[in-house]
Amino acid sequence: MDEMREIGRLWAGTPEATERDLAGSRAELVARFDRPRRTRRTALPVRRVALVGAMAVTLTAGILATQVSLGGSGSPMAAPPADAKALLKLAAQAAAGQAGTVPDRGQYVHTKKLAQRYLHTRGKSGEPQGTTITASEERWEAADVNKPWLSREQALSATGPAPRKYWDHGVEDIVSETAGCPGEPAYARLGAWPTDPAQVRAKIVAGTGEKPLRIWSSLKRLAMESVVRPSLSAALYQVAAGLNGIVLIPDAVDAAGRPGLAVAMDEGNGTRSELIFDRKTYHYLGERYVYVRDTEVELPGGRDYTIPRNTTTGTAVLAVDLVPGLPEVSPKASRMKIPC
């Protein structure tokens, strides 16, 4: 038998691949050729994060004992989801297959994020100016509700005319102390949530009502917090799949520069909010807000300014791991007492 003729017959009904179909495989192939050969020496893995409109920052990942997988490796997907509902179903399946972060007594859940913000200033002549700030965000939350937790922020870079003194304030620590109630931190609060989608929806609606946008707003916040509990994330995505007004964004990019697929909803105020998922694994990457038109923002005192169309802000989750305690706190840290 003529083998080439037989191969041609088998593939005769297959449509020719497009550039988009080949992009994932091409990128993977190039990455494999570019990857240096390893010697016997082992080293801690390093993640390079490409910032949108900002300098590149190198962040270490995997230094500590336990870490939740966020995005990254996986087989290239055969075809993109057809719509937002299909993407959320895939994300729910991916989350259901992840192991949760279960700290022992005395441990802390450490979450590392990268945030993109918009800063408005005025020039020497009073003209409005906009600057995009990239900042790191970290949070240490105790497994025990009667222990303090720490939030830490530090601006890393800026793209725009704002002087450095307006955005670089060094390390900013906030130490929060509870009164022994489970209202915070997030890990203790989310531990009491059900994982059945119908029950999760009922719990959300009890606080928001039935309007899709209000449910969506609550879901976005919970999705960011629930990276420590993927079983809850899976239920949240199934609830989101039932909302009217969600759309698929096939070319989203998170605050760390990672390409992804997004589910979005029009906020009705000139912005579109998005939940972004990895293109291969469908794991949650973060959230993003996109200004879909020039949007006027009013300041106290009657002055206002315009945020240009296509401006983006958002937060990317980089890592979740377990640590034995709080790091050394800045001597200038703010301290808050959280009532029940």
Side-chain angles (χ1 to χ4, degrees):
M1 180 181 291
D2 188 333
E3 288 85 353
M4 295 305 295
R5 184 178 302 167
E6 179 64 13
I7 291 172
R9 184 185 67 80
L10 290 172
W11 287 90
T14 303
E16 184 176 352
T18 65
E19 280 296 310
R20 182 169 182 173
D21 295 329
L22 296 173
S25 298
R26 184 182 297 114
E28 179 67 17
L29 182 61
V30 171
R32 286 180 181 272
F33 276 108
D34 287 344
R35 190 176 300 144
R37 294 186 177 182
R38 293 185 179 271
T39 65
R40 287 190 175 183
R41 182 186 61 176
T42 59
L44 293 174
V46 175
R47 175 182 298 157
R48 295 194 178 277
V49 181
L51 303 181
V52 179
M55 67 178 184
V57 178
T58 301
L59 297 173
T60 60
I63 294 177
L64 301 171
T66 305
Q67 182 168 305
V68 173
S69 173
L70 296 163
S73 63
S75 300
M77 58 186 182
D83 53 28
K85 182 177 294 188
L87 173 56
L88 286 166
K89 289 182 177 179
L90 290 168
Q93 293 172 8
Q98 287 182 276
T101 304
V102 184
D104 294 329
R105 293 293 299 271
Q107 284 189 313
Y108 280 74
V109 178
H110 172 225
T111 307
K112 182 179 288 187
K113 307 173 186 175
L114 201 66
Q116 207 173 48
R117 302 166 184 159
Y118 184 83
L119 174 65
H120 167 74
T121 57
R122 291 189 177 272
K124 294 181 180 179
S125 303
E127 73 280 8
Q129 298 176 333
T131 299
T132 298
I133 310 299
T134 299
S136 67
E137 295 182 349
E138 293 182 86
R139 189 173 173 95
W140 290 261
E141 298 182 337
D144 306 317
V145 298
N146 59 344
K147 289 188 176 181
W149 70 93
L150 171 66
S151 299
R152 171 172 292 171
E153 297 185 8
Q154 183 176 14
L156 301 176
S157 62
T159 301
R164 192 179 191 95
K165 64 179 181 180
Y166 288 164
W167 56 267
D168 187 359
H169 307 294
V171 175
E172 299 180 275
D173 283 352
I174 300 176
V175 179
S176 302
E177 297 177 345
T178 69
C181 54
E184 289 280 357
Y187 179 82
R189 185 178 71 255
L190 295 177
W193 275 69
T195 56
D196 176 75
Q199 294 178 11
V200 169
R201 189 185 191 282
K203 189 173 178 67
I204 293 173
V205 168
T208 65
E210 288 285 354
K211 291 186 176 180
L213 183 56
R214 295 193 64 184
I215 297 174
W216 173 252
S217 296
S218 182
L219 279 168
K220 293 201 313 293
R221 175 181 58 81
L222 288 166
M224 178 66 70
E225 294 180 335
S226 67
V227 291
V228 300
R229 194 179 176 212
S231 58
L232 175 56
S233 300
L236 291 170
Y237 303 151
Q238 292 180 68
V239 173
L243 295 178
N244 293 326
I246 56 173
V247 297
L248 176 68
I249 306 297
D251 55 355
V253 178
D254 74 359
R258 298 174 296 190
L261 302 168
V263 176
M265 183 176 285
D266 187 345
E267 295 277 336
N269 59 357
T271 64
R272 179 183 74 227
S273 58
E274 302 175 353
L275 297 179
I276 306 177
F277 301 93
D278 185 88
R279 300 183 67 88
K280 297 179 182 179
T281 65
Y282 305 113
H283 291 165
Y284 176 80
L285 295 181
E287 65 178 13
R288 181 173 76 157
Y289 290 84
V290 180
Y291 287 83
V292 296
R293 64 172 185 267
D294 291 348
T295 303
E296 288 192 0
V297 178
E298 187 173 345
L299 294 173
R303 295 192 304 175
D304 57 13
Y305 66 97
T306 300
I307 298 180
R309 179 177 177 268
N310 291 330
T311 296
T312 61
T313 61
T315 303
V317 181
L318 301 182
V320 180
D321 45 30
L322 299 177
V323 295
L326 294 177
E328 183 177 353
V329 177
S330 167
K332 298 180 180 180
S334 302
R335 295 184 178 272
M336 299 176 59
K337 189 75 173 181
I338 308 299
C340 288

